[in-house]
Amino acid sequence: RCFGADAQKETFLLSNICPQAPNLNQKVWEKLEKDELDYADADGEIWIIDGPIFADLNGGDTRTLPAGIAVPSAFYKILIEDQNNTPHTVAVNMPQSVKGTELPQQFTTSIQPIQPQTHLQFLPNLPPATREKLLNTAWPMW
């Protein structure tokens, strides 16, 4: 299901922690993580890339905690699956301001709009045509 107990423990290291609002962390994001595990159990291996989106990268002001830790305005997650040598991707972009009643699929997007928000380029080593297709389409996970 996952990479074992040691890998699970490593997810709790302070270097892997980012502030999330309770309605995101304990509700919508948690539901997404459960969906990922169910999907991987049913269909095999999936690869996941996720991380924060900071407001100051997009012209806004990033809030900081008293300890100086930056609080992201949103989080993204990219899931990649390879079905019979044909990769598929789905991405979500969830703001910290969720109410907690939303479903993860309400935040489905393609990878392309996440790149400028994070200042990252995803899947750079793929052939250009394959990369372009994966960046601009979202396969229906739900």
Side-chain angles (χ1 to χ4, degrees), residues 32-112:
L32 175 59
E33 289 176 334
K34 287 178 182 177
D35 289 348
E36 293 165 18
L37 289 172
D38 291 344
Y39 189 82
D41 283 345
D43 290 329
E45 183 177 272
I46 59 173
W47 295 27
I48 301 169
I49 304 166
D50 64 13
I53 298 172
F54 293 98
D56 62 324
L57 294 176
N58 301 293
D61 292 322
T62 294
R63 186 173 67 91
T64 58
L65 298 176
I69 297 167
V71 178
S73 57
F75 288 85
Y76 71 90
K77 189 176 289 257
I78 300 166
L79 291 86
I80 305 164
E81 179 197 34
D82 187 1
Q83 292 181 348
N84 303 318
N85 293 323
T86 304
H88 300 278
T89 62
V90 66
V92 295
N93 184 340
M94 294 185 189
Q96 288 269 37
S97 60
V98 297
K99 295 176 186 156
T101 56
E102 303 90 343
L103 296 173
Q105 54 265 45
Q106 291 176 248
F107 302 98
T108 301
T109 184
S110 65
I111 298 170
Q112 185 61 46

Side-chain angles (χ1 to χ4, degrees), residues 103-126:
L103 296 173
Q105 54 265 45
Q106 291 176 248
F107 302 98
T108 301
T109 184
S110 65
I111 298 170
Q112 185 61 46
I114 295 172
Q115 290 189 128
Q117 294 177 341
T118 60
H119 294 255
L120 298 171
Q121 293 212 356
F122 298 103
L123 314 174
N125 296 328
L126 291 178

Side-chain angles (χ1 to χ4, degrees), residues 129-141:
T130 302
R131 181 176 185 270
E132 191 67 25
K133 180 180 177 187
L134 292 175
L135 291 180
N136 290 296
T137 57
W139 120 90
M141 180 177 147

